[in-house]
Amino acid sequence: MEGMNCIDTHAHPNLSAFNEDREAVLKKMQTEGVAAINVGTKESTSQLAVNLAATYEHCYAIVGLHPIQTTPGQHDEEEIGEGGKAFRSKGEVFNPDFYRQLAVEPKVVG
């Protein structure tokens, strides 16, 4: 990709922590020559990763369901590590058809 100096192979600007400054972060990455592969962890974040890849030339996507998302419950710092942001998982059930439809998008790399 022309003008890119490096690539972040496991990024998450598709997560809610970036809701307020997502566009600014992605534009800064582009300005600095940093490409990104945004990794989805469930249906909504996988869809957003694909949408970001379609919107930003320097972004690509990986879609999937992380095992932590398959069990309902609160995930806190004790479980996810010091400095990790607590979150609630709804216990999503894997829907292969949903992920197959995302996987055919041209900038999905995994």
Side-chain angles (χ1 to χ4, degrees), residues 12-49:
H12 287 292
N14 52 327
L15 298 185
S16 63
F18 289 94
N19 282 350
E20 292 183 22
D21 62 352
R22 180 178 294 115
E23 185 174 348
V25 168
L26 291 169
K27 286 182 177 181
K28 176 75 170 171
M29 289 173 71
Q30 186 169 22
T31 299
E32 297 294 325
V34 178
I37 299 174
N38 296 314
V39 180
T41 61
K42 58 184 180 176
E43 286 186 8
S44 62
T45 60
S46 290
Q47 181 68 64
L48 184 52

Side-chain angles (χ1 to χ4, degrees), residues 42-104:
K42 58 184 180 176
E43 286 186 8
S44 62
T45 60
S46 290
Q47 181 68 64
L48 184 52
V50 171
N51 295 350
L52 293 172
T55 303
Y56 295 93
E57 182 183 4
H58 66 292
C59 290
Y60 296 85
I62 291 177
V63 299
L65 178 61
H66 192 286
I68 201 169
Q69 298 291 354
T70 63
T71 304
Q74 180 69 21
H75 304 283
D76 58 20
E77 190 174 280
E78 182 178 332
E79 179 181 1
I80 58 180
E82 186 176 334
K85 184 178 177 185
F87 68 96
R88 175 164 291 286
S89 171
K90 296 178 184 174
E92 189 169 300
V93 175
F94 182 68
N95 178 349
D97 293 332
F98 177 82
Y99 292 101
R100 277 191 202 104
Q101 72 142 33
L102 290 181
V104 299

